[in-house]
Amino acid sequence: MATIGWIGLGNMGRPMTKNLVAAGHTVRGYDLDERAVAAAADNGVEAVGSIAQAVEGAEVVFTMLPKGEHARSVYLDEGGVLEFAAPGTLLVDSSTIDVDSANALHDAAEKAGFAFVDAPVSGGISGAAAGTLTFMLGGADADVERARGYVEPMAGNIFHAGGNGAGQAAKIVNNMMLAISLQGAAEGAVLARKLGLDAQTFWDIAHVSSGDSWAMRTWYPVPGIVESAASNQGFDATFATALAHKDVGLALAGAESVGVTLPAAQVAFDNLQQLMDEGYAGKDCSLIIRNIDPEAPGVPQD
Ligand code: NAD
């Protein structure tokens, strides 16, 4: 069993590290937020107070951070991973970040003598808790093969998406599709209610019909229908609006760079932007139902 350094113990990092500990690994966890570290320590993670301590003696280092700027800072800044990890350590970034940042990290890591794999995930916090995440790995064959064994206890599916940055490219396209289907589920939930349908009965019908989607099954924005949905908890974030907004923005920027127009993605982005503008960046992205019906069940009335 390995010693694993882990940086970023938020909504995703916490359940992911729990599964690594359950698989018998020693996990040394660090986060800027002391409460996140304490919560991870309750799951058997060894709490440490700096990046240097997290990576000391680690065979592999994982990062699970919000955005490209955070990942760049954690790897490249003074006191960061590249400064303190032992040469040859395998570095795995599971954050969802822009392809340019991912490629910059690949290049810097390679120059400094490390193996680096971009390894974003899909499956939400429910997939993280169940150890059934889909991992999309980008990098050289040998590095990806090395990463596979460490990733296994957290994964339901592991794909080698391609070379450097390919994991991130696959991930932003996937999340763009998720945001569009979430928009559909939210609009469906509102229209079903306004047409007088019982929420559970409609969900049961759509679930076995052509309106079904992962968003509907996992994040249905109506309380009391789907256990894993943030709608049951006042839309406290399982996947924050700010992160969903970031991902769809990355997809739109990628589309622009290759001369493609994506009208549905633009609608999803505008709806997430509206939530951000109205002060809900930290709430769950399924709160987009509020834009369609501010009085929908479970929507915070503040
Ligand atoms: P989160 O905001 O809950 O957690 C991120 C953690 O990183 C926070 O605890 C924060 O304190 C920590 N952090 C930020 N900067 C740091 C630094 N410099 N040093 C140490 N710690 C630092 O986010 P999350 O929901 O866990 O998501 C993490 C990544 O995974 C994001 O890129 C997100 O897009 C992606 N993702 C999230 C989900 C989801 O459903 N939540 C699903 C798939 C992928």
Side-chain angles (χ1 to χ4, degrees), residues 9 21 26 33 69 77 82 100 145 154 163 167 170 173 196 249 263 279 289 296 300:
L9 294 163
V21 170
T26 299
D33 181 346
E69 69 221 50
D77 284 0
L82 295 194
D100 284 350
E145 281 319 304
M154 303 179 281
V173 177
I289 195 170

Side-chain angles (χ1 to χ4, degrees), residues 160-178:
H160 186 180
N164 295 359
Q168 296 296 352
K171 172 64 184 170
I172 60 169
V173 177
N174 176 80
N175 275 30
M176 175 204 80
M177 291 164 66
L178 167 63

Side-chain angles (χ1 to χ4, degrees), residues 7-16 30-34 36-37 51 63-71 73-74 93-97 120-126 128 133 168 171 175 178 214 219 237-240 242-244 246-247 284:
I7 297 146
L9 294 163
N11 286 321
M12 293 295 287
R14 220 157 35 243
M16 290 168 82
Y30 172 67
D31 194 293
L32 285 180
D33 181 346
E34 284 174 15
V37 180
I51 293 173
T63 43
M64 194 52 171
L65 300 158
K67 298 185 183 180
E69 69 221 50
H70 307 101
S73 157
V74 161
D93 180 37
S94 279
S95 329
T96 304
I97 63 171
V121 300
S122 177
I125 59 167
S126 49
L133 293 170
Q168 296 296 352
K171 172 64 184 170
N175 275 30
L178 167 63
W214 186 95
W219 287 353
T238 70
F239 186 43
L243 293 178
K246 167 202 67 170
D247 291 354
D284 195 75

Side-chain angles (χ1 to χ4, degrees), residues 169-281:
K171 172 64 184 170
I172 60 169
V173 177
N174 176 80
N175 275 30
M176 175 204 80
M177 291 164 66
L178 167 63
I180 294 170
S181 57
L182 178 63
Q183 182 73 30
E187 292 188 16
V190 170
L191 184 59
R193 187 170 83 90
K194 297 275 184 185
L195 293 177
L197 293 168
D198 173 70
Q200 184 69 59
T201 304
F202 171 68
W203 188 92
D204 290 344
I205 293 168
H207 173 51
V208 292
S209 303
S210 40
D212 186 34
S213 67
W214 186 95
M216 199 197 86
R217 264 174 276 127
T218 317
W219 287 353
Y220 200 56
V222 177
I225 310 287
V226 172
E227 205 186 329
S228 51
S231 49
N232 297 321
Q233 321 288 344
F235 290 88
D236 285 348
T238 70
F239 186 43
T241 296
L243 293 178
H245 175 266
K246 167 202 67 170
D247 291 354
V248 185
L250 291 175
L252 286 171
E256 198 180 342
S257 74
V258 291
V260 179
T261 304
L262 304 173
Q266 189 62 55
V267 169
F269 182 79
D270 293 346
N271 269 280
L272 292 163
Q273 182 68 57
Q274 183 180 336
L275 273 189
M276 305 271 289
D277 294 345
E278 290 173 359
Y280 295 103

